[in-house]
Amino acid sequence: MSDPDDLDAMDWDDAYRGEAGFEGAPPWNIGEPQPELAALIREGNVRGEVLDAGCGYAELSLALAADGYPVVGIELTPTAVAAARRAAAERGLTTATFVQDDITTFTGFDGRFDTIIDSTLFHSLPVEARDDYQRSVLRAAAPGAAYYILVFARGAFAADATHQPNEVDEAELRAVVGRYWQIDDVRPAFIHANVPAAGSPFPVPPHERDDKGRLKFPAFLLSAHKSP
């Protein structure tokens, strides 16, 4: 696992403004939901009101709203929140709401969400904030709510990568989430990302690419639920 201080050194709002060594949008913004999560939606695994935890530019929220789901995206960085709100307005999506807040401490949604989706947020948090994050989203979950986490697996990045995300192995992921949620499944998955430009703080690792030329990083997809 990387030193959390490395990740904390990144200014996430700078990243979304294109001022953190990226040219244009950051690589994780692929202009659509992550394919692993899009499959969950197609297969009918999303229900009721949805929390998009750490929504970023909110392509997942926007896709859910386009399908008629009421969805709330919570994101710390004001640049991403403003972009998500503009996109929702431009697309006429009235069931998507975006809130600028810290996902580890947010309040005001107790027992509200039937589905909570973490699309590549977990590995972006400092390790010491993981428990606060789990407590916050559990508090916001309705009884029986479904919870999905798409997170980088250990080995997704070179050990010496700058600002390396806090990758996990399966046992580590189960230990953190299982303290608060009933885990249903953890399976190998992929996180798709655009190829970073030269000089990016995230160098290109030697991973396979998808049919759109995007990198396929090894990941886990965790499925869990809140006890009724």
Side-chain angles (χ1 to χ4, degrees):
M1 180 179 298
S2 64
D3 183 344
D5 291 340
D6 289 342
L7 197 66
D8 292 345
M10 172 167 285
D11 184 318
W12 294 104
D13 206 52
D14 280 355
Y16 282 108
R17 290 197 304 266
E19 298 174 3
F22 301 115
E23 291 184 7
W28 58 85
N29 181 54
I30 61 173
E32 62 185 13
Q34 283 290 323
E36 301 278 2
L37 302 178
L40 286 180
I41 299 169
R42 287 194 306 271
E43 293 161 5
N45 293 302
V46 176
R47 58 185 174 81
E49 188 167 10
V50 183
L51 170 62
D52 185 358
C55 64
Y57 279 147
E59 290 299 341
L60 174 63
S61 291
L62 297 168
L64 287 165
D67 284 345
Y69 290 95
V71 56
V72 176
I74 295 181
E75 168 61 43
L76 182 63
T77 60
T79 297
V81 172
R85 288 173 176 164
R86 284 195 303 272
E90 290 167 359
R91 301 180 198 185
L93 300 174
T94 59
T95 63
T97 303
F98 300 102
V99 177
Q100 184 187 342
D101 207 342
D102 185 336
I103 199 67
T104 68
T105 59
F106 77 98
T107 58
F109 296 93
D110 291 11
R112 177 163 164 175
F113 298 106
D114 302 294
T115 305
I116 296 174
I117 304 178
D118 173 335
S119 178
T120 72
L121 167 69
F122 190 95
H123 54 244
S124 301
L125 297 171
V127 172
E128 63 271 17
R130 287 174 175 173
D131 281 325
D132 287 341
Y133 166 46
Q134 295 305 302
R135 283 190 286 265
S136 291
V137 294
L138 185 69
R139 183 173 58 246
Y147 183 33
Y148 301 103
I149 299 176
L150 182 62
V151 57
F152 283 125
R154 195 75 63 85
F157 291 86
D160 59 351
T162 304
H163 303 314
Q164 179 186 348
N166 291 312
E167 309 153 321
V168 296
D169 59 31
E170 181 176 344
E172 179 183 8
L173 182 60
R174 284 181 177 273
V176 174
V177 179
R179 284 197 286 270
Y180 303 94
W181 300 81
Q182 301 298 310
I183 295 176
D184 300 311
D185 186 43
V186 179
R187 67 167 178 80
F190 290 105
I191 292 172
H192 297 240
N194 294 321
V195 178
S200 162
F202 294 103
V204 179
H207 296 315
E208 295 180 10
R209 302 195 186 192
D210 65 15
D211 57 4
K212 297 181 180 180
R214 300 176 302 203
L215 291 165
K216 295 171 64 177
F217 289 80
F220 292 110
L221 179 62
L222 176 142
S223 303
H225 68 276
K226 182 177 181 177
S227 297

